[in-house]
Amino acid sequence: MKFAIGFEEEVLARSLRDVVYLKKAARVLDAHHFGTKYHSWAWKQIRDVWDTYREPTSPKMLLVRAKRDFPSEDDRKPYLKLCRKLLKLKPKAATAALDELSRFVRMVNAQLALEKAATALEKDRVDEVYDTMRQVGQRDLKPREYTRVRWIEGFEERQAERKHRREHPEEYVSIPTGMSRLDRIITGIQIGELGLVLGTTGRGKSIMLTNLAYHAVSRGYTTAYFAFEMPARQIAQRQDARWLQMPYRKFKEYDFSPSELREIKARLDKMRPRFQDKFQIFSMPVRSADINAVRQALDDARIEDGFKPQLLLFDSADHLLPTGRSESFRLDQASVYWACKGLAEEDGYAVWSSTQAGKEYAARTATAEAASESYDKGRIADIMISLNEPRKHSRATKVLDDEDDDEDEESMAPTARGKFMELYLAKYRDGASKLTIPLDAELEKMLISEIAAPS
């Protein structure tokens, strides 16, 4: 295996910008013997700034540290030249570069260990041979299957990180759902979290994902929508209706008046500069893709377009294939959702997926158990919301309906704009749950919105 310094520079450049990636790369870079002393110095500064301040390394910090370490301007020049290169570099395949660098470091470590063990074997030092081989295994850079926290020893570090998070919330991605009551509790979905939108057939799960995409993109978060059942053009057409606030039928049949076409053009002209390169839609044939196909699509988008989403929407991960096979379909599906959770944590995304609830929940609120009974999804997810059609109106929502105040009327009677539904917060791993939020669903416009609580 040949060493390429380009791998080092891709990894260092990405580590300067992406804290999640930096933490992934640290184990490899700490064990790596860099190609030049300049690259080694750059990594030490990136690592030291993160360890000390829990924040990315800025160009100003690099300049200050270079002046501190190299008082002579001539000595300082090559270090600053490399820093400028790293800051300008736009990594196109940083994940692949880290994988290649990791393999190279592992190969070098294995080669050195084998040479040391062979020397010991020639001298009949058998214990030293086994110690050498055991040590290289313990120091292996292959990703571990566990994480470990030394509780009291790491307390101050955790406090510093919590303090930094409170003082610099802008550095931590929290993507809102657009439902203010829900967002007040879950504070949006975070990087590393997996959220599920649960419901029986026809409850509007895909339309809810359409709205989650709208609220994320409209607030500036790059978003990727993965359709595993419908074609990408159909998802895009739904987004057209949601963003332009016109009935879906008009887009499907191209049934616009001249004034509507002028209105569409005016809205697009206004939105285009703001939302350029913020949203992409992918589709994959049903039961043909696994989580690695998703990763490949994301890598292609990053290489071809420089597109790196913060939010992923899966419609629906139920249709993904497991990467391995187990003895039951239930366990296969559990492995799919573990893979989705791993994608969120390891690659640094927030992930929402729609998922199916059993038929028995058609006439009652779908709780966390509705998914737990189906492949352990409820145990894996950080957040679960369900969409429901309650049998009766609550006192708080009847006043919004056009129908008479009849205790026995059906809950799906029209509200002021659309149809009455309820969102139920079935699970929130980090706080309160079991909250019901009334919704107004204008399904023809692909719009689901929260009904304000009465004052």
Side-chain angles (χ1 to χ4, degrees), residues 7-34 43-44 46-47 50-51 93-103 105 141-143 345-348:
F7 293 145
E8 281 184 2
E9 293 179 352
E10 284 261 323
V11 174
L12 288 171
R14 178 74 173 273
S15 296
L16 275 167
R17 298 168 172 83
D18 187 338
V19 168
V20 174
Y21 182 88
L22 186 160
K23 290 190 279 189
K24 254 179 97 174
R27 195 157 177 250
V28 174
L29 295 180
D30 284 346
H32 178 49
H33 297 284
F34 285 86
W43 167 243
K44 286 178 182 176
I46 296 169
R47 181 63 191 259
W50 171 252
D51 288 343
T95 299
L98 181 59
D99 289 343
E100 288 297 321
L101 195 60
S102 176
R103 281 192 282 273
V105 173
L141 297 174
K142 189 176 180 180
E345 289 186 341
E346 296 165 18
D347 294 50

Side-chain angles (χ1 to χ4, degrees), residues 147-205:
T147 57
R148 179 168 62 118
V149 172
R150 299 177 70 200
W151 174 67
I152 201 163
E153 292 84 355
F155 181 79
E156 294 302 329
E157 181 180 342
R158 294 194 301 276
Q159 280 289 79
E161 189 164 354
R162 288 188 282 258
K163 182 174 182 288
H164 184 79
R165 178 182 285 269
R166 183 177 179 84
E167 294 174 348
H168 302 278
E170 72 283 355
E171 294 181 11
Y172 298 88
V173 175
S174 178
I175 303 173
T177 66
M179 311 289 173
S180 59
R181 290 173 64 190
L182 180 62
D183 285 330
R184 278 198 296 271
I185 295 174
I186 69 172
T187 60
I189 190 168
Q190 316 284 317
I191 295 295
E193 288 186 334
L194 170 64
L196 299 184
V197 179
L198 178 67
T200 54
T201 301
R203 282 293 186 266
K205 300 185 293 294

Side-chain angles (χ1 to χ4, degrees), residues 75-347:
D75 291 342
R76 193 163 59 240
K77 277 183 180 178
Y79 293 92
L80 292 180
K81 182 180 179 181
L82 173 63
C83 290
R84 283 192 292 269
K85 181 179 181 181
L86 296 176
L87 290 165
K88 289 180 180 179
L89 184 64
K90 295 181 179 179
K92 294 183 176 179
T95 299
L98 181 59
D99 289 343
E100 288 297 321
L101 195 60
S102 176
R103 281 192 282 273
F104 175 78
V105 173
R106 293 180 73 210
M107 184 199 70
V108 170
N109 288 347
Q111 184 175 341
L112 292 173
L114 287 171
E115 291 173 357
K116 184 177 179 180
T119 300
L121 191 61
E122 288 176 359
K123 298 178 180 179
D124 295 328
R125 295 203 285 257
V126 177
D127 290 343
E128 187 177 334
V129 172
Y130 278 93
D131 285 343
T132 299
M133 300 310 295
R134 184 170 57 253
Q135 287 171 15
V136 74
Q138 291 172 343
R139 293 194 299 266
D140 192 9
L141 297 174
K142 189 176 180 180
R144 296 172 177 171
E145 299 299 324
Y146 66 91
T147 57
R148 179 168 62 118
V149 172
R150 299 177 70 200
W151 174 67
I152 201 163
E153 292 84 355
F155 181 79
E156 294 302 329
E157 181 180 342
R158 294 194 301 276
Q159 280 289 79
E161 189 164 354
R162 288 188 282 258
K163 182 174 182 288
H164 184 79
R165 178 182 285 269
R166 183 177 179 84
E167 294 174 348
H168 302 278
E170 72 283 355
E171 294 181 11
Y172 298 88
V173 175
S174 178
I175 303 173
T177 66
M179 311 289 173
S180 59
R181 290 173 64 190
L182 180 62
D183 285 330
R184 278 198 296 271
I185 295 174
I186 69 172
T187 60
I189 190 168
Q190 316 284 317
I191 295 295
E193 288 186 334
L194 170 64
L196 299 184
V197 179
L198 178 67
T200 54
T201 301
R203 282 293 186 266
K205 300 185 293 294
S206 296
I207 296 176
M208 176 58 79
L209 291 185
T210 298
N211 281 267
L212 291 173
Y214 169 83
H215 289 294
V217 177
S218 65
R219 288 163 173 79
Y221 296 101
T222 48
T223 300
Y225 193 121
F226 282 85
F228 304 115
E229 189 174 10
M230 290 184 280
R233 290 181 65 85
Q234 187 175 355
I235 299 297
Q237 193 161 264
R238 290 183 170 204
Q239 292 291 340
D240 295 342
R242 176 64 184 86
W243 279 84
L244 296 167
Q245 298 179 34
M246 292 182 175
Y248 177 76
R249 175 192 58 78
K250 284 184 171 288
F251 293 93
K252 186 177 180 180
E253 300 173 3
Y254 193 74
D255 181 21
F256 301 106
S257 67
S259 63
E260 286 173 331
L261 290 174
R262 287 193 295 272
E263 183 181 355
I264 288 172
K265 183 181 184 306
R267 289 183 181 179
L268 285 176
D269 288 346
K270 186 176 180 180
M271 289 190 293
R272 188 171 282 111
R274 183 178 172 192
F275 301 122
Q276 195 84 24
D277 302 321
K278 288 292 185 183
F279 188 27
Q280 292 194 11
I281 301 166
F282 303 78
S283 62
M284 297 179 178
V286 177
R287 303 295 292 172
S288 70
D290 60 16
I291 204 71
N292 290 327
V294 172
R295 281 193 167 98
Q296 182 62 57
L298 291 168
D299 282 344
D300 290 344
R302 183 166 55 248
I303 293 168
E304 294 170 11
D305 303 327
F307 179 73
K308 173 63 169 71
Q310 297 159 295
L311 175 66
L312 305 183
L313 299 166
F314 292 166
D315 188 13
S316 149
D318 289 354
H319 299 303
L320 282 172
L321 293 172
T323 52
R325 292 291 180 181
S326 58
E327 63 272 20
S328 72
F329 182 67
R330 175 178 177 272
L331 293 176
D332 280 346
Q333 284 289 287
S335 72
V336 165
Y337 279 86
W338 280 120
C340 292
K341 174 65 174 170
L343 179 71
E345 289 186 341
E346 296 165 18
D347 294 50

Side-chain angles (χ1 to χ4, degrees), residues 373-434:
E373 293 172 2
S374 303
Y375 325 126
D376 300 324
K377 301 171 197 170
R379 184 166 59 92
I380 299 166
D382 300 285
I383 305 167
M384 288 179 61
I385 59 175
S386 67
L387 298 175
N388 304 281
E389 299 178 2
R391 303 297 293 177
K392 296 180 182 180
H393 291 286
S394 70
R395 196 177 292 269
T397 56
K398 282 181 208 172
V399 294
L400 297 171
D401 298 328
D402 295 330
E403 302 294 328
D404 292 335
D405 186 7
D406 183 355
E407 192 68 22
D408 294 325
E409 71 181 0
E410 288 297 315
S411 65
M412 291 302 290
T415 66
R417 295 190 302 178
K419 289 166 56 173
F420 174 67
M421 295 180 67
E422 284 186 345
L423 181 150
Y424 180 70
L425 177 57
K427 175 185 176 182
Y428 177 41
R429 192 187 298 278
D430 209 25
S433 59
K434 300 182 179 179

